Amino acid sequence: GAVVSQHPSWVICKSGTSVKIECRSLDFQATTMFWYRQFPKQSLMLMATSNEGSKATYEQGVEKDKFLINHASLTLSTLTVTSAHPEDSSFYICSARSLAGGSYNEQFFGPGTRLTVL
Amino acid sequence: KNEVEQSPQNLTAQEGEFITINCSYSVGISALHWLQQHPGGGIVSLFMLSSGKKKHGRLIATINIQEKHSSLHITASHPRDSAVYICAVVWGNFGNEKLTFGTGTRLTIIP
């Protein structure tokens, strides 16, 4: 199957700093990328959907000024957590899919990035 | 909104046992994913199916669209199968599909 990578796999930062997480589709062009967040022992929650070349669509309750998403190319999307606080500590997962044909195309998940804010 | 329920929430079994994990949802879907998440957090996609049955090695996934239900089976379970298994349903209009995740089933296989 298609491969999606994330970088870094884990990051520890001080409160107030910004952290950028990259999501790359390695062997296909991803017209759409999704960012999810997972708290311990909870399920994944969609944060935002980004389509290449356009602004991301954020889910209700997700602050777009805090979680900046850029999807400038068909293989790369970035999530920047600005002015991070300890409550932002979480596991962030991206997924990517291409949109082709007349049926739903599978989402391929990245391995995730564990963010710890001190 | 699509309500997704998984059962059981936790499952402990002896090595070699046949495992079944269930997923039910409330709204018609276009597809369903079965995902595996290991303790380190990384997610692996096991299956995506929209009808019938798929098999990969010791894993089998089935879906009944009319009953809004899917099952994941593991034959000859092994300790390395210990992980959290998550179903995720795909629903909504084409091009604007949503993914709703179940809360996961934590599987522990004892040697």
Side-chain angles (χ1 to χ4, degrees):
Chain A
V3 179
V4 175
S5 70
Q6 278 185 244
H7 178 80
S9 55
W10 59 269
V11 57
I12 301 172
C13 69
K14 292 183 179 180
S15 186
T17 60
S18 294
V19 175
K20 181 185 282 189
I21 302 169
E22 292 185 350
C23 176
R24 293 183 185 271
S25 56
L26 298 185
D27 50 4
F28 68 102
Q29 293 185 324
T31 53
T32 306
M33 287 186 170
F34 304 86
W35 287 96
Y36 298 91
R37 183 174 181 175
Q38 185 182 37
F39 289 107
K41 299 193 184 303
Q42 294 188 25
S43 194
L44 283 75
M45 295 294 295
L46 179 65
M47 297 176 67
T49 302
S50 74
N51 292 298
E52 185 264 338
S54 61
K55 289 184 179 180
T57 302
Y58 290 80
E59 294 299 300
Q60 194 172 11
V62 178
E63 299 175 59
K64 61 181 179 181
D65 293 333
K66 179 161 187 67
F67 298 100
L68 300 179
I69 291 172
N70 183 279
H71 190 168
S73 80
L74 286 172
T75 59
L76 173 65
S77 176
T78 60
L79 167 68
T80 301
V81 183
T82 62
S83 187
H85 286 278
E87 58 264 31
D88 298 324
S89 299
S90 188
F91 193 60
Y92 293 87
I93 301 164
C94 74
S95 71
R97 74 158 194 240
S98 62
L99 192 65
S103 63
Y104 168 74
N105 286 288
E106 185 173 356
Q107 286 189 32
F108 299 97
F109 290 85
T113 296
R114 187 164 301 283
L115 171 64
T116 302
V117 184
L118 303 176
Chain B
K1 185 179 178 184
N2 211 330
E3 303 284 344
V4 181
E5 292 189 2
Q6 282 186 240
S7 63
Q9 289 188 341
N10 295 283
L11 177 58
T12 300
Q14 291 289 132
E15 182 175 356
E17 286 190 39
F18 181 81
I19 304 297
T20 296
I21 299 170
N22 297 299
C23 176
S24 299
Y25 50 92
S26 60
V27 175
I29 64 173
S30 53
L32 182 146
H33 290 261
W34 278 105
L35 310 170
Q36 180 191 55
Q37 186 172 30
H38 279 284
I43 287 182
V44 175
S45 182
L46 300 175
F47 295 103
M48 186 193 76
L49 65 166
S50 55
S51 65
K53 176 180 175 178
K54 284 190 176 181
K55 184 176 189 294
H56 181 72
R58 294 180 295 106
L59 303 177
I60 303 167
T62 63
I63 189 167
N64 185 317
I65 295 296
Q66 287 73 29
E67 294 187 3
K68 296 187 176 63
H69 180 269
S70 176
S71 293
L72 176 69
H73 305 285
I74 305 175
T75 62
S77 59
H78 191 276
R80 64 175 175 267
D81 298 326
S82 298
V84 175
Y85 292 83
I86 302 168
C87 73
V89 299
V90 183
W91 58 287
N93 297 324
F94 174 71
N96 193 31
E97 294 94 347
K98 299 280 187 184
L99 223 64
T100 300
F101 296 82
T103 52
T105 295
R106 185 172 300 275
L107 174 66
T108 304
I109 302 297
I110 300 172

